Amino acid sequence: MRRTLVVLLVSTLAFGLSACGGTGAPASPAASQDDCPAASVPLASLDLVKDVRAAKGQSTACLPSHAIEPVSDETAPKLPVTVTDSEGREVTVTDADRILPIDISGTISSTVFALGLGDRVVGRDSSTDFPGTEELPVVTKSGHTLNAEAILELAPTVVLTDTTIGPKEVRQQLRDAGIAVVVISSDRRLDTTDELVTEIAAALGVPSRGNALIERLDAGLDDAITQIAEVTPAAESDRARMLFLYVRGSANVYYIFGEDSGADSLIDAVGGIDVAGEIGWQGMKPMTAEALVEAQPDVIVMMTDGLESVGGVDGLIERIPAVAQTPAGAHRRVIDMADTEVLSFGPRSADVVLAIARALYAPETTK
């Protein structure tokens, strides 16, 4: 079921991004740390809203830093290693000196850098835009389509990818050229991050680095959940009713992300109520006015480029009149976050969760 949902997400995101004129450059430029002064402040220490369901206005969630910190474990890769990838193929990796990590969210590359192997990365996808990757050549075109020629020119010894980026014929072309291609699981949720790290670390022959990264990620997420629990209303009726809306205005693409989309795990983590799940919305499906009105969200969560593509909150309400019939529309309550960050569950999961939580519970500090 989840693999089907991932395929739906891929086609939706790829179409939307290419329709926005994707050129291979990152969709959302990283904000500087100065743009997010409260991002490192404990959540409970911020100026919290009294009623999270009645808060008004747009707020932008941002990270304390865009840098990826590598683990301290420097154990050398132990190769060759044979792994069974997510498509059931046995792949033998004999050389990890030239790594090409590529997917639609930049999560695989951020994980490779977090494992301390960033100096071996030879290229990037168009969603990878954190410090240290600026000079890497982009191997995607038209948004998120693999460019076989660009990849072969880089002579990677191992390609780490997933089914969120394609076409699959290019992956086979790389295999035919003698390159080890490992297809990583495409299931992106908070509760699958450890498995993602394990797959990538195993394929690169650095399982101990993977264990160290998992330990750090779990500790960070536990801390984030503890901070959020301190400010989450005790009564479920007082918690924010939230809905993730994916929009690409230039292409007239409007999707609601529901159960098992990944967005639901993010909403749960910040103490909100996923209203798409309440109305039985499974996965990612085209939005309907009826569903939006039935869901009655207090808060709409969006990607920053998506919000900009419709002209901001005013344009969103103008293009989707049903938004005005919800508390979120009446209060103009929209939380946006950079496209390359908001659903990129991986090394920055804890920071992403806390960023959304700050925008939800302390919106004045994120504007």
Side-chain angles (χ1 to χ4, degrees):
M1 175 64 173
R2 284 184 180 173
R3 176 157 319 247
T4 301
L5 298 178
V6 167
V7 172
L8 286 172
L9 174 60
V10 174
S11 55
T12 303
L13 292 179
F15 173 72
L17 288 168
S18 60
C20 279
T23 61
S28 299
S32 69
Q33 191 164 355
D34 291 340
D35 294 332
C36 207
S40 298
V41 179
L43 186 56
S45 300
L46 298 175
D47 185 13
L48 306 176
V49 294
K50 293 181 179 179
D51 183 351
V52 72
R53 297 192 61 186
K56 298 180 180 180
Q58 176 193 351
S59 51
T60 298
C62 49
L63 301 178
S65 171
H66 297 278
I68 302 296
E69 180 184 354
V71 295
S72 57
D73 186 328
E74 296 182 350
T75 304
K78 187 176 181 180
L79 299 172
V81 63
T82 299
V83 296
T84 301
D85 72 9
S86 69
E87 293 188 326
R89 288 186 177 85
E90 280 198 356
V91 183
T92 298
V93 178
T94 61
D95 186 345
D97 286 341
R98 298 182 63 80
I99 306 169
L100 181 59
I102 38 178
D103 67 348
I104 201 169
S105 64
T107 303
I108 296 178
S109 59
S110 65
T111 303
V112 172
F113 271 74
L115 290 170
L117 298 173
D119 60 341
R120 299 171 180 238
V121 173
V122 296
R124 64 184 173 102
D125 51 62
S126 54
S127 291
T128 295
D129 64 347
F130 49 84
T133 64
E134 301 91 344
E135 302 302 319
L136 291 173
V138 177
V139 298
T140 53
K141 60 183 179 180
S142 301
H144 292 274
T145 302
L146 294 177
N147 184 328
E149 292 182 0
I151 293 173
L152 291 171
E153 285 179 3
L154 296 177
T157 55
V158 57
V159 172
L160 303 175
T161 187
D162 63 20
T163 56
T164 67
I165 199 165
K168 63 181 181 180
E169 288 79 12
V170 171
R171 295 197 294 272
Q172 187 56 50
Q173 185 177 347
L174 300 178
R175 294 187 188 100
D176 293 342
I179 299 170
V181 178
V182 182
V183 180
I184 305 298
S185 172
S186 304
D187 193 4
R188 297 285 184 272
R189 298 173 56 85
L190 286 174
D191 59 3
T192 61
T193 302
D194 289 358
E195 288 83 351
L196 171 76
V197 173
T198 298
E199 288 182 53
I200 294 173
L204 297 177
V206 288
S208 68
R209 295 193 191 199
N211 292 334
L213 180 55
I214 289 171
E215 184 177 349
R216 189 179 80 189
L217 296 181
D218 289 350
L221 194 55
D222 287 346
D223 176 68
I225 298 303
T226 297
Q227 288 192 51
I228 293 168
E230 293 177 359
V231 302
T232 302
E236 186 171 308
S237 59
D238 294 331
R239 297 179 183 177
R241 297 172 53 78
M242 304 173 69
L243 179 141
F244 194 102
L245 183 63
Y246 177 84
V247 169
R248 282 295 181 266
S250 59
N252 287 320
V253 172
Y254 305 96
Y255 270 59
I256 291 175
F257 284 16
E259 291 181 341
D260 285 327
S261 66
D264 55 330
S265 68
L266 181 59
I267 290 172
D268 290 343
V270 299
I273 296 172
D274 177 30
V275 294
E278 280 192 344
I279 63 172
W281 207 265
Q282 294 285 334
M284 294 76 66
K285 296 191 297 185
M287 181 212 74
T288 66
E290 293 78 12
L292 195 56
V293 173
E294 182 183 357
Q296 286 293 292
D298 301 315
V299 182
I300 292 175
V301 182
M302 300 180 65
M303 295 180 178
T304 299
D305 284 355
L307 183 59
E308 291 178 353
S309 76
V310 293
V313 177
D314 287 338
L316 179 68
I317 294 173
E318 181 179 351
R319 287 193 180 224
I320 311 176
V323 171
Q325 300 177 49
T326 69
H331 294 156
R332 300 173 55 80
R333 190 70 178 106
V334 175
I335 293 174
D336 67 283
M337 190 170 189
D339 300 39
T340 57
E341 295 170 351
V342 64
L343 294 179
S344 61
F345 302 126
R348 295 181 288 191
S349 289
D351 287 338
V352 169
V353 169
L354 279 173
I356 296 291
R358 289 187 178 95
L360 176 65
Y361 296 105
E364 292 298 325
T365 66
T366 59
K367 291 182 177 179

